[in-house]
Amino acid sequence: MNSSHQFDAVFLYANEAIIITNERGEIVRINPATEKLFGYKDAELLSKRIDTLIPERFRHSHEGHVKKYHKKPNPRSMGAGLDLYAQKKNGSEFPVEVSLSPCNVDGQPMVIAFIIDITERKKVEVQAKDYQLKLEKEVEDRTLILQEAIEKLENTKKKLDESLQKERELNQLKSRFISTASHEFRTPLATVLSSLTLVEKYIELEDKPKQEKHLSRIKKSILNLTDILNDILSVNKIDEGKLVTKPYLFNLNKLLEDLVSELNLIAKPGQKILLEINEPNEIEINQDPKLLTHILSNLLSNAIKFSDMETNIYVVVTALDDDIKISIKDEGIGIPESDLENLFTRFFRSENAGQIQGTGLGLSIVNQYAELLNGNVECKSKLHEGSEFILSIPKILES
């Protein structure tokens, strides 16, 4: 210090607190700003360690910092990147910024510490940080809202695409239905017309056997037409959600015996439907007999249709604890393995069905009726070795 008067002027009138310490960390002089900042009088701090102005929890580490600084003193700011705190006489703490400068007084190494109270700056920083966090939160919230809006738009688009796809599929189904139904109606109607003409001819000729032959053809064609109409009505009821199950308690043995007896009458020559019930007692179940009859009639009609004359169709009933399994097995043409996956799809017909009449609706209806009965139907088949359809339904269907 070249001029003690100049230094004293700066020292006494500076706004920053200035503290001079010796190499032992003892305070040798403070300026008025220090007294005002910390609440001490000059005499209270002289010869006291600088640690007096540091919160208790930092004092242990501070002693090491003092020794380290005196080994290699140079002007620098303390605690770069750290939060520094000082302690007033009343014990309150406040954030500070400290700059250190080494000096030499009367041949003794000293350190001048410039201390600035940065409480207001910290408040501003905290406010700025809070504001930044608030902005980030708002951005995050608005981003989330935007993402949700985008997701809703995407879901809406997806639903629209699905609706359009369903509409296309429905239009395709309608086209296929019109084409299939018109074809299936045309064939039996043509048979009825031609047979009626021939019956009139054979009545004139009094040829009884040929009359009966063509009357049988007419009867069979009418039954085919009835089946087609029933399938159409069933599909319509399913699609419109008008089909409601009506379960009640009934005797399954009697239902099966009556159905088998009825269908044996329309079986091909030599065909036999054989019923086997693996239960010594009569089976009573609480189900919808109308839907169950439709399922079994459809499966048995298919077995008759796709099997040759002089073959057997086996109906095997197994009663389990809670379920009933009904197997319908034929010795018919079988189904190619590649077709099994789509067997219950509307309008699907197996590639080996050939000229055998059918709309491709029957098995789809069977599958949907089985689901209405809380059951399911599966198929096992080998080409040229016959098919087996297994219907599983619960004994009790809740109404």
Side-chain angles (χ1 to χ4, degrees):
M1 291 179 289
N2 296 322
S3 172
S4 61
H5 291 294
Q6 288 179 347
F7 175 78
D8 283 344
V10 172
F11 189 80
L12 292 173
Y13 297 108
N15 290 325
E16 293 86 1
I18 303 174
I19 301 174
I20 302 175
T21 63
N22 59 26
E23 60 182 346
R24 293 184 300 278
E26 296 169 343
I27 298 172
V28 297
R29 191 176 179 186
I30 66 172
N31 71 340
T34 303
E35 295 179 5
K36 184 179 179 181
L37 181 60
F38 287 93
Y40 286 99
K41 295 296 182 182
D42 182 285
E44 291 179 291
L45 288 177
L46 292 179
S47 300
K48 296 287 179 66
R49 292 185 59 79
I50 192 68
D51 294 0
T52 305
L53 305 177
I54 297 173
E56 182 70 34
R57 63 184 183 280
F58 299 124
R59 289 177 186 176
H60 178 73
S61 60
H62 184 261
E63 186 176 349
H65 293 318
V66 171
K67 290 178 180 178
K68 186 177 179 181
Y69 181 82
H70 279 287
K71 286 180 181 179
K72 194 177 180 180
N74 61 294
R76 67 180 177 87
S77 296
M78 276 186 65
L82 299 176
D83 289 328
L84 299 180
Y85 289 89
Q87 181 175 284
K88 296 178 183 286
K89 183 180 179 179
N90 62 11
S92 63
E93 297 179 13
F94 61 100
V96 294
E97 188 177 90
V98 180
S99 296
L100 302 178
S101 292
C103 64
N104 196 289
V105 180
D106 297 330
Q108 296 295 320
M110 300 283 181
V111 177
I112 302 176
F114 298 88
I115 303 169
I116 302 173
D117 182 353
I118 59 171
T119 300
E120 291 305 316
R121 188 201 302 172
K122 282 290 183 182
K123 284 181 181 178
V124 172
E125 287 178 0
V126 169
Q127 288 173 351
K129 189 174 181 180
D130 289 344
Y131 183 66
Q132 183 181 352
L133 290 172
K134 184 180 177 182
L135 283 178
E136 289 175 355
K137 182 69 169 60
E138 285 184 6
V139 170
E140 185 180 334
D141 290 343
R142 291 182 183 183
T143 302
L144 186 61
I145 291 169
L146 183 60
Q147 287 176 340
E148 289 175 353
I150 291 170
E151 285 177 8
K152 285 180 181 178
L153 285 172
E154 288 177 347
N155 288 334
T156 302
K157 181 180 177 298
K158 184 179 178 183
K159 287 177 181 177
L160 285 172
D161 289 342
E162 288 174 354
S163 296
L164 287 171
Q165 182 61 29
K166 285 180 180 177
E167 190 174 342
R168 289 192 198 100
E169 290 173 358
L170 184 60
N171 288 333
Q172 289 174 358
L173 285 174
K174 285 179 179 178
S175 298
R176 289 171 63 185
F177 173 75
I178 292 168
S179 174
T180 302
S182 61
H183 173 75
E184 293 300 323
F185 274 115
R186 190 181 297 114
T187 303
L189 284 173
T191 301
V192 169
L193 289 172
S194 63
S195 292
L196 279 172
T197 303
L198 291 169
V199 166
E200 289 174 353
K201 176 183 175 182
Y202 292 126
I203 287 174
E204 292 175 3
L205 297 174
E206 297 183 358
D207 191 334
K208 193 87 171 170
K210 289 186 178 179
Q211 289 177 36
E212 290 177 354
K213 175 186 173 183
H214 287 285
L215 286 171
S216 176
R217 288 182 67 193
I218 291 170
K219 182 181 177 182
K220 185 178 178 182
S221 294
I222 291 171
L223 287 172
N224 285 337
L225 286 169
T226 303
D227 287 342
I228 293 168
L229 286 170
N230 285 336
D231 284 347
I232 292 168
L233 290 171
S234 295
V235 168
N236 188 54
K237 283 183 179 179
I238 291 170
D239 286 346
E240 292 181 357
K242 292 181 179 179
L243 206 58
V244 180
T245 56
K246 296 177 181 178
Y248 59 84
L249 193 67
F250 63 91
N251 187 303
L252 181 63
N253 296 58
K254 186 174 187 311
L255 182 145
L256 289 168
E257 287 164 2
D258 290 347
L259 184 61
V260 168
S261 176
E262 179 185 333
L263 289 175
N264 263 322
L265 295 175
I266 61 169
K268 292 175 182 176
Q271 277 186 342
K272 289 182 182 178
I273 303 174
L274 305 173
L275 176 62
E276 178 186 338
I277 300 177
N278 296 326
E279 177 66 34
N281 302 316
E282 296 287 304
I283 302 173
E284 298 280 334
I285 64 172
N286 193 81
Q287 267 287 357
D288 187 321
K290 186 176 179 181
L291 292 186
L292 179 59
T293 299
H294 189 103
I295 291 170
L296 297 175
S297 295
N298 195 298
L299 293 176
L300 285 168
S301 295
N302 281 350
I304 292 169
K305 189 191 303 183
F306 293 102
S307 299
D308 291 331
M309 297 183 289
E310 305 294 337
T311 57
N312 292 330
I313 297 165
Y314 303 93
V315 181
V316 181
V317 182
T318 305
L320 305 174
D321 292 338
D322 300 314
D323 301 321
I324 293 290
K325 285 189 181 294
I326 303 174
S327 163
I328 296 175
K329 188 174 183 179
D330 62 50
E331 298 171 343
I333 62 175
I335 301 164
E337 187 176 349
S338 59
D339 288 346
L340 291 174
E341 184 180 354
N342 299 309
L343 201 57
F344 298 103
T345 304
R346 278 187 189 178
F347 299 109
F348 179 80
R349 300 203 74 207
S350 184
E351 64 181 31
N352 64 332
Q355 298 302 313
I356 300 173
Q357 282 189 320
T359 60
L361 292 172
L363 289 179
S364 170
I365 295 168
V366 163
N367 188 53
Q368 289 178 285
Y369 277 10
E371 289 176 356
L372 286 169
L373 298 182
N374 287 343
N376 64 79
V377 60
E378 60 178 309
C379 175
K380 299 177 181 177
S381 184
K382 285 189 177 180
L383 203 57
H384 310 304
E385 294 183 20
S387 303
E388 180 184 13
F389 286 84
I390 303 166
L391 173 69
S392 299
I393 57 170
K395 288 180 179 177
I396 300 174
L397 176 65
E398 299 295 338
S399 56

